[in-house]
Amino acid sequence: EVQLVESGGGLVQAGGSLRLSCAASGFTFDDYAIGWFRRAPGKEREGVSCISSSDGSTYYSDSVKGRFTISRDNAKNTVYLQMNSLKPEDTAVYYCAAETPATAQALGVMLPPTYDYWGQGTQVTVSS
């Protein structure tokens, strides 16, 4: 059974940090680029960060560049998102997703239809 399970969300004060994890199973993890998306209240889903399947290439949206760091451990089938210097505008549900190799795009494109598998999401709330 294909699963992606996010964890690590919660409530944090502005300026604080959280580390999100995405544990994957049921597919060949190291063949897939993995992305983090978020949906804030009243806004569309946006791509936050993505990491390639094997060569370590990464992408960050302008809003999080310099504050967030994505990494992956293929031996553990896990992707991480370290979030530092959090701001209230980072408040959202965060989702990890695996991009189907057959339709994979450049890392910065992050088109939801090209991501075949999605996690359930984890809530991040940043208070002022």
Side-chain angles (χ1 to χ4, degrees):
E1 180 183 358
V2 172
Q3 289 190 76
L4 283 81
V5 180
E6 302 95 335
S7 61
L11 175 64
V12 65
Q13 297 281 337
S17 298
L18 287 172
R19 188 195 194 212
L20 305 184
S21 297
C22 174
S25 61
F27 64 99
T28 307
F29 179 78
D30 58 359
D31 286 344
Y32 287 73
I34 305 295
W36 286 96
F37 295 79
R38 68 185 181 187
R39 183 186 290 277
K43 298 180 66 177
E44 293 185 338
R45 181 188 294 111
E46 65 170 329
V48 175
S49 184
C50 190
I51 187 165
S52 69
S53 59
S54 59
D55 71 1
S57 298
T58 58
Y59 161 80
Y60 301 94
S61 68
D62 289 342
S63 63
V64 309
K65 194 175 300 179
R67 300 187 296 120
F68 291 10
T69 303
I70 191 170
S71 61
R72 69 190 293 162
D73 186 341
N74 286 347
K76 296 181 178 180
N77 286 3
T78 302
V79 171
Y80 306 95
L81 186 68
Q82 179 67 45
M83 305 187 295
N84 298 326
S85 301
L86 283 162
K87 305 174 181 179
E89 53 262 44
D90 294 318
T91 295
V93 177
Y94 284 71
Y95 303 87
C96 66
E99 189 176 38
T100 305
T103 56
Q105 307 296 303
L107 290 181
V109 176
M110 300 198 73
L111 294 174
T114 72
Y115 288 78
D116 197 37
Y117 308 131
W118 292 78
Q120 83 288 350
T122 186
Q123 176 71 49
V124 172
T125 302
V126 184
S127 62
S128 60

